[in-house]
């Protein structure tokens, strides 16, 4: 086969695989959203069909909005996620800057030690974490979730951001020092703007597991005032009867922040991923 034909065929095959994977990933999301606008009988009778005049119903959204606790669960999730992302980005960037800019004996070993957190799931320490939170009086508080999620997200954040910071020309930093800029101003005014794609990548990878997590909210913040949206949805799932209209409507609402974040940072996310791939 001529080389002129191989490249178009290989590109077509790659795009076909990517399109198939995208369709496979989006299908459950579309199915949840579509069925959230149906009556209960239509959900089980024709789950793959679009809602029509007979099957269309907003009863699930009515139940979710009528439940005064759901907005509180949603607010708890937003608060925990936003604060955690802010801490992970700030602390991860500062640690990455320190490990990259200020070389010292053992810095490489320290970076490898921090990378272990990427390979070991934090849930292995659930019993110890629970004991620490009980001893600290942080059970049933959003602070407990923020601390755990920050510790969970920092290893990946440090690993990614330190690699991007290392790509910043050293001459640029030395020129800033010659102009009289302090280390803090160099970090906030030069380093952070140059690693925005990496920050967006870390933000997305940090948000998704936090927003979807059920384990730590159930373990550390199960009270009515501190439940997250993922845990709060469980109230519509009973042992014998499940309100599927409310469950699907609540899930559809819970999907919106993740989609919004991806839409806002999609360009920066792609730049961050491709930059890391090229490196």
């Amino acid at each position: 086969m001529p080389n002129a034909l191989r490249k178009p065929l290989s590109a077509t095959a790659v795009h076909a695989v990517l399109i198939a994977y995208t369709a496979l990933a989006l299908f459950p999301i579309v199915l949840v959203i579509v069925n959230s606008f149906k009556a209960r009988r239509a959900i089980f009778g024709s789950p793959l069909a679009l809602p029509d005049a007979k099957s269309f119903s907003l009863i699930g959204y009515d139940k979710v909005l009528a439940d005064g606790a759901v907005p509180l669960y949603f607010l708890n999730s937003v608060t925990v996620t936003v604060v955690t992302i802010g801490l992970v980005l700030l602390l991860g960037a500062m640690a990455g800057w320190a490990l990259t800019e200020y070389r010292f004996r053992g810095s490489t070993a320290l970076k490898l030690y921090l990378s272990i957190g990427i390979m070991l799931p934090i849930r292995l320490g659930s019993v110890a974490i629970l004991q620490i939170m009980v001893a600290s009086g942080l059970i049933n508080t959003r602070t407990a979730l923020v601390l755990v999620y920050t510790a969970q997200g920092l290893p990946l954040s440090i690993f990614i951001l330190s690699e991007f910071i290392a790509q910043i020309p050293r001459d640029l930093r030395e020129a800033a020092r010659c102009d009289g800029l302090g280390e803090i101003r160099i970090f906030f005014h030069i380093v952070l703007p140059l690693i925005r794609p990496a920050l967006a990548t870390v933000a997305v990878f940090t948000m998704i597991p936090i927003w979807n997590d059920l384990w730590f909210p159930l373990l550390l913040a199960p009270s009515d005032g501190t439940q997250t949206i993922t845990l709060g949805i469980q109230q519509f799932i009973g042992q014998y009867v499940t309100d599927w209209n409310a469950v699907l409507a609540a899930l559809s609402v819970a999907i919106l922040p993740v989609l919004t974040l991806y839409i806002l940072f999609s360009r920066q996310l792609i730049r961050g991923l491709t930059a890391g791939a090229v490196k």
Side-chain angles (χ1 to χ4, degrees):
M1 182 181 295
N3 292 332
L5 293 177
R6 286 182 181 177
K7 292 184 178 179
L9 288 177
S10 61
T12 302
V14 170
H15 282 84
V17 172
L18 293 176
I19 291 173
Y21 178 78
T22 302
L24 183 64
L26 291 178
F27 177 74
I29 299 175
V30 174
L31 193 64
V32 168
I33 296 175
V34 167
N35 283 281
S36 68
F37 293 98
K38 292 182 182 179
R40 181 182 178 86
R41 180 175 298 179
I43 293 175
F44 293 97
S46 53
L48 299 180
L50 295 174
D52 53 24
K54 293 183 179 180
S55 63
F56 181 80
S57 175
L58 294 176
I59 185 173
Y61 290 95
D62 291 339
K63 292 180 179 179
V64 170
L65 295 177
D67 190 334
V70 172
L72 177 60
Y73 301 153
F74 193 84
L75 178 61
N76 288 336
S77 289
V78 171
T79 302
V80 170
T81 303
V82 170
V83 174
T84 301
I85 290 176
L87 290 175
V88 168
L89 293 181
L90 178 61
L91 298 179
M94 293 174 70
W97 163 258
L99 291 173
T100 303
E101 184 68 13
Y102 310 110
R103 306 294 296 181
F104 55 90
R105 181 179 298 178
S107 60
T108 302
L110 179 58
K111 186 181 295 186
L112 291 175
Y113 173 75
L114 293 173
S115 300
I116 296 176
I118 303 175
M119 298 176 282
L120 296 179
I122 195 173
R123 292 185 182 181
L124 293 177
S126 296
V127 175
I129 291 173
L130 180 60
Q131 292 175 344
I132 292 174
M133 295 304 171
V134 171
S136 304
L138 295 177
I139 286 294
N140 285 323
T141 64
R142 290 175 292 187
T143 303
L145 295 177
V146 170
L147 293 175
V148 172
Y149 289 144
T150 301
Q152 173 183 291
L154 274 177
L156 181 63
S157 174
I158 295 172
F159 180 79
I160 293 177
L161 296 180
S162 61
E163 294 299 322
F164 274 81
I165 292 173
Q167 299 179 34
I168 300 175
R170 189 171 187 85
D171 294 340
L172 182 62
R173 291 170 278 177
E174 294 299 335
R177 292 189 178 98
C178 292
D179 289 338
L181 291 181
E183 298 300 310
I184 296 178
R185 294 188 63 185
I186 292 175
F187 174 74
F188 283 102
H189 295 282
I190 295 178
V191 175
L192 287 186
L194 291 176
I195 61 170
R196 283 180 298 179
L199 293 174
T201 303
V202 172
V204 172
F205 284 138
T206 301
M207 175 186 179
I208 294 176
I210 294 174
W211 190 266
N212 295 332
D213 186 39
L214 178 63
W215 178 255
F216 283 114
L218 182 62
L219 193 66
L220 302 177
S223 66
D224 292 337
T226 57
Q227 288 185 23
T228 60
I229 187 66
T230 308
L231 182 59
I233 292 174
Q234 303 302 311
Q235 67 175 306
F236 300 112
I237 301 177
Q239 182 177 0
Y240 302 105
V241 179
T242 298
D243 192 342
W244 288 109
N245 294 102
V247 170
L248 294 176
L251 289 175
S252 299
V253 173
I255 290 171
L256 291 179
V258 179
L259 293 178
T260 302
L261 182 71
Y262 178 77
I263 292 172
L264 292 176
F265 296 105
S266 59
R267 181 175 299 179
Q268 298 290 339
L269 174 62
I270 294 172
R271 287 178 56 191
L273 291 176
T274 53
V278 171
K279 178 175 174 61

